[in-house]
């Protein structure tokens, strides 16, 4: 699966999830709004009931307000209370401000900490006729009770309006929001983790494929060379030409050595990883070791190799055998990843207080910045893995990991510095105190 396809699926999953959450929250909000509206209805009815009670207590005995006329011509759908309110408001008994303060107390008792107003409106058009006499401000967002009709001719109704009930809604929806947020964050974290896992798996698959390819390539050619030379030697055709025979034996030996070195590299890395290897430290002279390697590489290289040695520190404390392998890997890379007619390699050594610093610098194709942090990883070949199929240098991505493991076993450090198409420099820090500590 292509990476962008996985990204699209993940992004779509996240989008659908978010959309579902939004729909769910919107529905919850609507339910909540209906609940608040119902509570407002009850509060307004209760406030009106209390108001009527107060008026009734103050009326003289025998006062008639007016009541429902049985089989009247008026609309039957009119609430019975409307007859009562109609009678009271006609006589100016209903006090809007008193209803307001009763409603306020009831709202407080129900934990509605919001601004509100009691309005007289036209029940048909909902146009405002009068407001209760207070400082309540009107706001852009309100929730209101239903309009209770107070006039039989449908000219007036009364309603309770909550101004700006956002805080109230948040207060009620709070725990839902928090839990939704936690679930969302959890799901997003899971999705990100899962996507990363897919990429890691993809990377491992790719590495395995590259490794198998390189393994087959690098093992097949020495094996077939060995097989061919042995066949030749066995046929007896070389018996009369001892010089040629010697050469063929040498070729077979070199190829077998290549295979052995490869197996040793893998074994050493795995031993070093399990910390089962000890370095046999001694004082190693750098110049003779490097000259030996230079000879070897010059002999087998197809391109001209130029080496420049500037060893301000002539000796280091290290395991000679493994240090030679380290340089062999670094020079091998410098030659292998060269894109110039002539390969120029400079090797320098200097010291600061704690470390001897050795630099192996080449004028090759360099390493892209994005691959630089990973080149010391096992099986990591950066852009080289793509190039092998186009005839580029083969390898297992083990060389630099081997170098790192060996240098770290010496309690040292190793870094890579490079500019693509200009240079690559591997910088090794070997501690100066190592030998003294070990002894
Ligand atoms: P192996 O060394 O196991 O045969 P390799 O050379 O591919 O295989 P490393 O030596 O670990 O593996 O190098 C890792 C990668 O870093 C290489 O594949 C290459 O892309 C890049 N690299 C290492 N050294 C150099 C260099 N001197 N110049 C340019 N690229 C380099
Ligand atoms: Mg290498």
């Amino acid at each position: 699966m292509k990476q962008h396809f996985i990204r699209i699926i993940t992004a779509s999953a996240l989008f659908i999830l978010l959309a579902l959450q939004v729909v769910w929250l919107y529905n919850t909000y609507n339910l909540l709004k209906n609940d608040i509206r119902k509570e407002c209805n009850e509060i307004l009815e209760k406030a009106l009931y209390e108001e009527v009670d107060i008026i009734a207590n103050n009326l003289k005995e025998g006062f008639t307000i007016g009541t429902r006329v049985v089989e009247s011509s008026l609309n039957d759908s009119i609430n019975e209370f409307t007859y009562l309110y109609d009678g009271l408001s006609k006589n100016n008994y209903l006090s809007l401000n008193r209803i307001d303060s009763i409603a306020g107390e009831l709202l407080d008792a129900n934990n509605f900490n919001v601004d509100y107003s009691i309005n007289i409106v036209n029940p048909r058009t909902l146009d405002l006729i009068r407001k209760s006499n207070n400082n309540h401000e009107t706001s852009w967002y309100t929730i209101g009770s239903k309009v209770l009709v107070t006039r039989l001719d449908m000219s007036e109704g009364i309603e309770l309006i909550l101004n700006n009930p956002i805080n109230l809604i948040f207060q009620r929806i709070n725990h839902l929001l928090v839990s939704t947020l936690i679930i969302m964050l959890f799901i997003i974290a899971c999705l990100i983790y899962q996507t990363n896992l897919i990429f890691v798996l993809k990377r491992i698959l790719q590495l395995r494929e590259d490794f198998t390819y390189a393994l087959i390539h690098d093992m097949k050619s020495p094996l077939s060379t060995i097989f061919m030379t042995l066949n030749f030697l066995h046929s007896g055709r070389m018996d009369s030409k001892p010089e040629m025979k010697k050469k063929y034996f040498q070729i077979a030996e070199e190829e077998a050595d290549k295979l052995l070195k490869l197996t040793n590299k893998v074994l050493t890395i795995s031993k070093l990883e399990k910390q089962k290897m000890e370095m046999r430290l001694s004082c190693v002279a750098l110049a003779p070791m490097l000259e030996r390697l230079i000879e070897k590489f010059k002999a087998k290289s197809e391109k001209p190799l130029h080496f420049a040695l500037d060893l301000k520190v002539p000796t280091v404390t290290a395991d000679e055998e493994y240090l030679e392998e380290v340089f062999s890997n670094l020079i091998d890379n410098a030659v292998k990843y060269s894109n110039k007619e002539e390969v120029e390699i400079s090797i320098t050594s200097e010291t600061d207080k704690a470390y001897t610093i050795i630099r192996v610098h080449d004028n090759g194709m360099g390493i892209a910045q994005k691959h630089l942090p990973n080149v010391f990883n096992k099986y990591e070949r950066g852009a080289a893995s793509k190039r092998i199929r186009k005839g580029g240098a083969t390898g297992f991505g083990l060389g630099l990991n081997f170098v790192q493991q060996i240098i770290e076993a010496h309690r040292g450090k190793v870094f890579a510095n490079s500019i693509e198409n200009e240079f690559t420099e591997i910088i090794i820090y070997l501690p100066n105190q190592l030998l003294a500590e070990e002894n």
Side-chain angles (χ1 to χ4, degrees), residues 312-313 349-359 413 428-433:
K312 292 198 178 77
V313 178
S349 72
E350 57 190 310
T351 184
D352 68 3
K353 273 189 192 122
Y355 292 96
T356 297
I357 305 156
I358 303 169
R359 296 169 201 269
K413 292 174 272 186
I428 293 171
Y429 283 74
L430 276 175
N432 290 333
Q433 293 300 318

Side-chain angles (χ1 to χ4, degrees), residues 368-381:
Q369 288 302 310
K370 63 172 178 179
H371 296 307
L372 211 49
N374 304 322
V375 281
F376 290 102
N377 292 350
K378 216 161 137 182
Y379 311 127
E380 187 63 59
R381 299 208 67 229

Side-chain angles (χ1 to χ4, degrees), residues 265 329 332-333 336-337 399-400:
K265 203 176 344 183
N329 272 291
D332 178 53
N333 281 350
K336 200 157 72 167
Y337 301 111
L400 287 182

